Amino acid sequence: MKSSFLFCTVPVIFVILPATGLLLFTSGFFLTRVAIEEKSNRSVPYLSNYPETDEINFEEFTRFNRVVILVIDALRYDFVKRITRDELAIDAEFKPYHNHMRTITNLIDNYPRQAKLYKFLADPPTNTMQRIKGLTTGSLPTFVDQTSNFNSPKITEDSIIHQIYRSGRKSLFVGDDTWIDLFPDTFAETYPYPSFNVRDLHTVDAGVIKHLPPFLERGDWSLLIGHFLGVDHVGHIYGPDHSSMKNKLTQLDGVINSVVNQISDDTLLVVLGDHGMTETGDHGGDTSDETDAALFLYSPNPIFPLLMPSPILNSPIISDSVSQKNIVPTISLLLGLPIPYSNLGALIPELFLNKENPLSSLSFLSRAMLTNCLQLWRCLTHYSLLTSDISSYDMEILRIKIDSITSSHQSSNFYEINNLIAFIEKCTEFLNHSEKICQSVWARFRIERMSIGFSILIFTALLQYYITTNLYQHDNIYLGDKILLYASISYVILGLLLLMSTELTYSIKIIMVSSCMVSMSFIIYRIITSRYLIYFRESVNLFSISSLVFSIISPISLFSNSFIIREDSRIEFMLQTYNLILLFKSLSIWYTQSRDKSHIITSLFNPCLLLSLMSLTRLFHACRPEQLPCDSSIFSLHLLNLAEKSFISAFLRILLSIILLIITVDLLSWKYQISNYKCYSISLTSLYVLIIIFWLTKLLPEPPIHSSLISYYYTFSPRIVYLIAIFLICISTWNLSKHNTDFSIHYSSLCLVVWLLSCLLVGDGMTSSLALLLLYQGILSKVVSYCGSLPLFFISHYFFLLCSQFYFAIGHQFTVHSIRYEAAFTGFHGDLPSFILAGFLIGINMFAPYICNICFLPLFLLTINNELKKDTSLLQISMTTWLHILCFANIQVLCTCAAAYIHRRHLMVWNVFAPRFVYESVIYYVLVVSIFVIFSIVYRASLQINVKGNLLIKRQ
């Protein structure tokens, strides 16, 4: 195909068309529930269907004039609960987070009627923004909310904050600035502090500690919220098993003690964690470590009953575990406020049982439970009018239950203990059943959009295969090729129109289905009749068969949650199989040709070395929560955390990283003669010296928070690295565009800069893995060169799998937990200038193997110079290989999309299938951007260099 036609076709087929399909699919798949913006109001009929409940008197439930809520981010339940020696496993030691919240445990022991600790169960996803929404509105989070965790939208639903504002009272806030994004105009007074800098353990907490005492001395407020972030940040940086966690918990224990001594008798103190954390300090998923937070309630006056009524005590109504939604109706009623309109939570019964006698307590609780049930029924009936998500059958069951509740409340013998107990149990059953229904139908999928987006992705995959396999097969542009391009453009236009429309008419559906069938039939015909397919059938061998089989098995395995969970083992198995095939090929060449003993090293040693190096990558793997019991690599631990456990291990780890960093740079400089250019040599040496200095500073104790050195402590070396790297990238790119330049020298220096930047961002622990990647590529190039002509399809799929394998080998998994947010602060302290920069740095940390493999691929192809046709240039063969890799990635996207579609009601959809789809989509466009940048550089160089010179690789 002609170059001009390719330059028009490739961007449409490989960039714009997949984006259109993905946007359509995600617009139908990642939908939040319908938000009800109605607000509860005591001045209007509370429930028109039940006139006897109009004008509910909320003041009768008032027990407190003020509530103090201290949110300790990531306060896991076992951080607060007293742990005894008997509760530990045999030979286990106390953790640094055990038994440091002594104020809470002492209050529970000494004042059981005034203090109690609950296990506070969070609804996944366990991210701060979603938890704040749940804690204030009583609603359930969705997966889409999780994607906006760092771009928090304003809450428009009714909440306890809105109810206080509408009642004319004041609410005050100090701490995490996420609250101000969610409630920008409802707090009477605020002192927000930036929350994104996970390296800063003290600023937010110090601000809360500073402003709490003056707030507590005032009496002009009803709700005071203080949000601490230190525990969460310690977890992200060091993990919970570190002395910094002990220090932070001890500090916050002192704060709680001070607040306890300062609050008045009419004040309720609520200390809670919005979520927990894993043993690596991460959160976002649904494991028990992440969902089991702590809730502590205290008041100077007794708030819990002295003796629980025996029927209640023996029923499941009273529990030591409380859903986080339940705090919303509880606090609302205790303050004499209407329950927020969209609340799905059930109140905490114990707080409504503190009356003179059991009959009074149960009567008071029953009226509160009735109010809670009527509020939830009103919400669900309103929601059912807006959408058909809740079936008429479910609504009828709920209507029967609420009718039974109201009729029981109106009976003449209602105020008897047994009847009150039965009534409370009915209310509890109604609340629990309603919650289950909402959880089962919360996401409203738009099947039409998902189906059309999926069909576009199928068409894209077929078209990409056709274009890639026929890229340089002929020089003419056939009419069929033009038709396919025009069909692609029409799909893009139609897809964009569909994205802007709210509903799909029947005629549009018919047009889409018919055009899709015609287009797919035509592209399948073009593939079947293509010359490449005939060539592929004629060149059947072990390499082509194995690569074809694995390229089919790999995406199909994404339909199984078990294969996704164990994906690192699956990819390693495929690569090791490829290595065994290379070993067999090498030995067969040695046996049939020379049988020279001097060649046995090349034929046997190098393939065996590939097998060994691939096995070494397991040392760097991190664990998914579903893979437990599993031990994560010591290379993934924070350096100070490792040093605290074993300084020798930390020293040896950083020493290994330093040695591998220096050897890798020096070997590549020698191989590609970079040292001949003093500018490159000095700059590259400066880069790795500065990176080593940055690593060593992590072993030193952190300066005090108020020290003038704190802003330069972790930022000086990385910023100099960024400046030198930008300088080297500009110089090498400029030199590549000059006439008669040496391509390998300038391009290899550019690749080394990219590799060193990746080492800086992945940290000292995973630099050894990136060094292993380059060593592996070098050995692989020797093996492939010795094996002779190998199918390009095999090499492309090998490289694609290699990207995925080393993604796992730098401590990542396809989960929310594996995102290393601390990478955003490499070279920065405090708030970043923009989230785009933060995302860019985190992206390099996550996808460094993909970027490095794409970057080093032309150098790899320069080495295996026996693969190409006689007149094939490096630009052509690199372009073909890159497009093959994009084809494999797009097929992976297609299959993860199909898996998410099929399993959209599966128990593991939001924990396994949806994250895998999101990651694969991001990986595809990381590859697209990387290939575009590298192609631009190689293409510019090819215009300046003689085609028969450095960029022409001939068969030897």
Side-chain angles (χ1 to χ4, degrees):
M1 296 181 184
K2 291 184 178 180
S3 299
S4 58
F5 183 75
L6 285 177
F7 278 119
C8 296
T9 305
V10 169
V12 172
I13 296 175
F14 285 87
V15 182
I16 302 175
L17 197 57
T20 306
L22 285 173
L23 287 174
L24 272 172
F25 183 85
T26 53
S27 68
F29 184 66
F30 292 129
L31 286 177
T32 60
R33 56 185 172 81
V34 176
I36 302 176
E37 298 186 8
E38 192 77 21
K39 303 293 189 296
S40 295
N41 195 329
R42 70 181 74 211
S43 64
V44 297
Y46 193 69
L47 197 65
S48 57
N49 293 344
Y50 297 93
E52 69 278 1
T53 63
D54 292 355
E55 302 291 345
I56 288 180
N57 180 22
F58 294 101
E59 279 75 10
E60 72 163 315
F61 301 114
T62 304
R63 296 190 63 187
F64 301 99
N65 293 324
R66 282 177 289 276
V67 173
V68 178
I69 300 179
L70 301 183
V71 181
I72 301 178
D73 211 290
L75 185 67
R76 206 167 69 189
Y77 179 67
D78 57 346
F79 290 4
V80 181
K81 181 179 180 292
R82 179 184 282 116
I83 305 296
T84 63
R85 171 61 63 180
D86 295 338
E87 294 178 271
L88 296 176
I90 299 176
D91 298 329
E93 297 293 333
F94 284 104
K95 299 290 187 180
Y97 50 80
H98 282 158
N99 301 332
H100 297 295
M101 306 294 282
R102 293 187 175 90
T103 297
I104 291 178
T105 53
N106 290 338
L107 287 171
I108 294 171
D109 292 340
N110 299 328
Y111 306 99
R113 293 195 63 197
Q114 298 166 233
K116 184 169 183 178
L117 177 66
Y118 295 90
K119 183 180 288 185
F120 207 33
L121 304 178
D123 296 298
T126 48
N127 283 332
T128 296
M129 189 201 72
Q130 288 75 29
R131 294 295 81 245
I132 293 175
K133 287 184 176 182
L135 289 167
T136 54
T137 66
S139 60
L140 288 168
T142 60
F143 186 86
V144 172
D145 290 335
Q146 185 166 330
T147 64
S148 58
N149 191 51
F150 300 113
N151 186 23
S152 308
K154 176 181 176 181
I155 291 179
T156 57
E157 287 184 293
D158 197 10
S159 69
I160 191 170
I161 311 295
H162 290 107
Q163 284 299 324
I164 290 177
Y165 178 79
R166 287 164 61 86
S167 67
R169 307 190 211 177
K170 290 183 179 180
S171 55
L172 312 178
F173 173 76
V174 56
D176 182 353
D177 61 354
T178 304
W179 288 79
I180 308 305
D181 296 329
L182 297 174
F183 303 100
D185 305 314
T186 47
F187 288 109
E189 191 173 343
T190 62
Y191 291 94
Y193 292 87
S195 59
F196 188 63
N197 185 6
V198 293
R199 287 193 177 279
D200 187 351
L201 309 181
H202 309 292
T203 299
V204 177
D205 291 3
V208 179
I209 294 171
K210 174 184 176 182
H211 292 288
L212 271 181
F215 279 163
L216 291 170
E217 291 175 1
R218 294 161 46 179
D220 60 343
W221 50 269
S222 294
L223 180 65
L224 170 59
I225 300 175
H227 192 146
F228 298 89
L229 284 175
V231 171
D232 181 65
H233 288 185
V234 169
H236 282 301
I237 296 298
Y238 305 113
D241 195 7
H242 190 267
S243 60
S244 296
M245 184 63 75
K246 171 185 175 181
N247 299 335
K248 182 55 66 176
L249 291 174
T250 302
Q251 179 194 31
L252 295 177
D253 181 67
V255 174
I256 295 171
N257 184 64
S258 175
V259 173
V260 166
N261 294 327
Q262 202 171 355
I263 60 176
S264 57
D265 291 348
D266 63 347
T267 303
L268 174 67
L269 172 62
V270 181
V271 180
L272 60 88
D274 56 342
H275 52 75
M277 66 173 68
T278 64
E279 287 304 316
T280 58
D282 302 309
H283 57 87
D286 61 353
T287 63
S288 59
D289 281 345
E290 297 164 276
T291 58
D292 293 354
L295 171 65
F296 172 70
L297 302 177
Y298 169 80
S299 178
N301 279 335
I303 54 175
F304 297 102
L306 179 63
L307 291 174
M308 192 78 67
S310 56
I312 288 288
L313 186 63
N314 298 326
S315 72
I317 296 173
I318 305 300
S319 174
D320 291 333
S321 298
V322 174
S323 172
Q324 287 193 354
K325 299 184 296 296
N326 296 359
I327 200 69
V328 174
T330 302
I331 293 180
S332 297
L333 291 183
L334 291 176
L335 285 174
L337 297 170
I339 300 174
Y341 197 94
S342 300
N343 165 71
L344 301 178
L347 52 82
I348 302 173
E350 288 170 273
L351 292 170
F352 297 85
L353 287 171
N354 189 26
K355 292 292 183 180
E356 311 80 45
N357 56 69
L359 183 62
S360 300
S361 291
L362 292 174
S363 176
F364 186 70
L365 174 60
S366 65
R367 292 196 301 275
M369 294 284 281
L370 174 64
T371 303
N372 195 178
C373 291
L374 293 176
Q375 167 270 319
L376 182 53
W377 171 248
R378 178 187 59 176
C379 173
L380 295 180
T381 52
H382 190 166
Y383 189 83
S384 65
L385 296 175
L386 298 177
T387 174
S388 59
D389 291 349
I390 304 178
S391 67
S392 57
Y393 174 77
D394 287 331
M395 287 301 298
E396 180 62 21
I397 291 178
L398 292 177
R399 189 193 64 77
I400 293 172
K401 290 181 181 293
I402 196 67
D403 285 343
S404 174
I405 289 172
T406 54
S407 60
S408 298
H409 183 258
Q410 297 168 10
S411 64
S412 57
N413 58 349
F414 177 72
Y415 292 101
E416 296 179 4
I417 288 184
N418 291 334
N419 291 337
L420 289 172
I421 294 292
F423 179 82
I424 292 170
E425 289 178 348
K426 282 184 180 181
C427 291
T428 303
E429 182 185 356
F430 172 81
L431 294 170
N432 292 337
H433 189 71
S434 300
E435 181 182 356
K436 289 179 181 178
I437 290 176
C438 292
Q439 287 175 333
S440 65
V441 299
W442 208 244
R444 182 167 59 95
F445 300 105
R446 295 185 184 178
I447 302 300
E448 296 90 350
R449 285 176 177 265
M450 295 168 65
S451 302
I452 294 172
F454 183 65
S455 65
I456 291 178
L457 290 174
I458 294 176
F459 175 72
T460 303
L462 295 171
L463 198 54
Q464 285 182 358
Y465 175 79
Y466 172 75
I467 293 296
T468 302
T469 54
N470 290 272
L471 192 61
Y472 296 109
Q473 296 297 321
H474 55 79
D475 295 328
N476 298 323
I477 303 174
Y478 298 115
L479 177 62
D481 300 333
K482 292 183 179 180
I483 293 175
L484 292 175
L485 176 60
Y486 298 148
S488 303
I489 295 173
S490 63
Y491 264 124
V492 170
I493 296 172
L494 188 55
L496 294 176
L497 292 174
L498 290 175
L499 284 172
M500 292 184 289
S501 64
T502 55
E503 297 294 336
L504 304 180
T505 63
Y506 181 76
S507 57
I508 290 180
K509 294 177 186 178
I510 293 296
I511 293 173
M512 285 297 299
V513 171
S514 58
S515 61
C516 180
M517 296 297 293
V518 171
S519 301
M520 287 187 186
S521 301
F522 185 72
I523 184 61
I524 291 172
Y525 167 77
R526 294 290 294 172
I527 291 174
I528 292 174
T529 58
S530 66
R531 293 166 53 189
Y532 182 84
L533 192 64
I534 299 172
Y535 167 78
F536 190 83
R537 289 199 299 264
E538 293 174 351
S539 58
V540 174
N541 54 46
L542 188 58
F543 292 99
S544 60
I545 293 175
S546 62
S547 56
L548 180 62
V549 170
F550 281 159
S551 65
I552 295 174
I553 291 177
S554 182
I556 289 178
S557 65
L558 297 173
F559 287 88
S560 166
N561 61 304
S562 300
F563 276 99
I564 293 177
I565 291 171
R566 297 289 178 180
E567 191 168 0
D568 49 358
S569 300
R570 173 178 61 81
I571 292 176
E572 182 185 351
F573 169 78
M574 292 182 178
L575 285 170
Q576 292 290 49
T577 304
Y578 279 161
N579 290 337
L580 289 174
I581 294 173
L582 289 172
L583 173 61
F584 174 78
K585 177 68 173 179
S586 299
L587 289 176
S588 64
I589 290 175
W590 174 79
Y591 183 79
T592 56
Q593 293 182 4
S594 62
R595 296 194 188 182
D596 187 350
K597 292 184 178 179
S598 61
H599 291 169
I600 191 65
I601 295 178
T602 305
S603 60
L604 179 61
F605 177 76
N606 286 338
C608 289
L609 187 57
L610 284 181
L611 290 165
S612 302
L613 292 177
M614 182 55 61
S615 299
L616 284 178
T617 59
R618 298 177 195 167
L619 297 175
F620 303 93
H621 283 197
C623 298
R624 284 182 67 113
E626 300 89 349
Q627 291 177 343
L628 298 176
C630 170
D631 295 325
S632 293
S633 167
I634 63 167
F635 292 95
S636 63
L637 296 177
H638 189 277
L639 191 61
L640 271 181
N641 199 4
L642 180 61
E644 188 172 78
K645 295 179 179 179
S646 172
F647 184 80
I648 295 177
S649 299
F651 177 77
L652 292 176
R653 191 186 87 174
I654 200 169
L655 181 63
L656 174 65
S657 299
I658 290 172
I659 292 172
L660 290 177
L661 183 75
I662 296 173
I663 290 176
T664 302
V665 175
D666 289 346
L667 277 178
L668 289 178
S669 298
W670 170 78
K671 180 179 179 180
Y672 294 106
Q673 300 178 347
I674 298 175
S675 55
N676 293 343
Y677 285 75
K678 294 299 182 183
C679 176
Y680 290 155
S681 179
I682 295 173
S683 299
L684 290 173
T685 303
S686 301
L687 280 178
Y688 70 66
V689 168
L690 288 167
I691 292 173
I692 291 170
I693 292 173
F694 174 65
W695 291 344
L696 293 175
T697 58
K698 293 184 178 181
L699 279 175
L700 301 176
E702 190 175 279
I705 187 63
H706 300 296
S707 171
S708 59
L709 295 175
I710 190 67
S711 59
Y712 303 101
Y713 196 70
Y714 291 120
T715 61
F716 178 76
S717 296
R719 288 183 180 182
I720 301 299
V721 169
Y722 294 148
L723 291 175
I724 296 176
I726 292 172
F727 168 76
L728 274 178
I729 290 173
C730 293
I731 292 296
S732 56
T733 305
W734 171 259
N735 286 333
L736 283 169
S737 64
K738 292 167 63 177
H739 185 63
N740 290 330
T741 189
D742 193 328
F743 174 81
S744 61
I745 292 177
H746 301 298
Y747 186 77
S748 59
S749 66
L750 176 65
C751 293
L752 266 179
V753 173
V754 174
W755 183 80
L756 285 169
L757 279 176
S758 300
C759 291
L760 173 68
L761 291 169
V762 301
D764 68 287
M766 295 305 167
T767 291
S768 301
S769 179
L770 288 182
L772 187 65
L773 171 62
L774 296 191
L775 175 62
Y776 192 93
Q777 281 190 8
I779 303 299
L780 180 63
S781 66
K782 293 182 178 296
V783 174
V784 173
S785 297
Y786 183 79
C787 288
S789 181
L790 298 180
L792 192 59
F793 189 87
F794 171 84
I795 295 174
S796 302
H797 194 248
Y798 195 112
F799 254 77
F800 178 70
L801 292 179
L802 198 63
C803 292
S804 300
Q805 177 62 18
F806 275 90
Y807 172 84
F808 296 115
I810 60 170
H812 286 292
Q813 289 280 351
F814 293 118
T815 62
V816 178
H817 316 85
S818 68
I819 300 175
R820 307 292 183 195
Y821 296 113
E822 63 270 19
F825 301 96
T826 305
F828 299 93
H829 186 272
D831 268 1
L832 291 169
S834 72
F835 285 114
I836 295 176
L837 177 60
F840 178 75
L841 296 177
I842 293 173
I844 294 178
N845 171 275
M846 293 182 65
F847 305 113
Y850 292 91
I851 297 170
C852 289
N853 266 315
I854 295 300
C855 192
F856 278 92
L857 182 60
L859 294 177
F860 178 86
L861 295 173
L862 276 171
T863 306
I864 56 167
N865 54 11
N866 55 358
E867 165 60 25
L868 311 177
K869 294 183 178 181
K870 187 173 182 180
D871 295 325
T872 305
S873 70
L874 175 63
L875 180 65
Q876 292 175 333
I877 196 65
S878 297
M879 185 67 176
T880 305
T881 308
W882 284 329
L883 293 185
H884 269 108
I885 291 174
L886 285 182
C887 281
F888 297 136
N890 188 62
I891 292 173
Q892 297 260 103
V893 172
L894 177 65
C895 288
T896 55
C897 176
Y901 180 88
I902 294 171
H903 300 299
R904 62 187 180 275
R905 295 297 183 188
H906 192 279
L907 181 65
M908 304 289 286
V909 62
W910 304 117
N911 203 37
V912 175
F913 295 106
R916 190 65 186 86
F917 163 66
V918 172
Y919 269 100
E920 200 62 54
S921 302
V922 173
I923 286 171
Y924 180 83
Y925 279 96
V926 167
L927 290 172
V928 166
V929 173
S930 303
I931 289 171
F932 172 77
V933 173
I934 301 302
F935 170 79
S936 301
I937 294 172
V938 176
Y939 178 75
R940 186 176 177 86
S942 69
L943 296 178
Q944 303 297 331
I945 302 174
N946 185 353
V947 178
K948 301 297 182 181
N950 290 324
L951 287 189
L952 183 66
I953 310 173
K954 299 180 180 179
R955 188 188 303 275
Q956 290 184 347

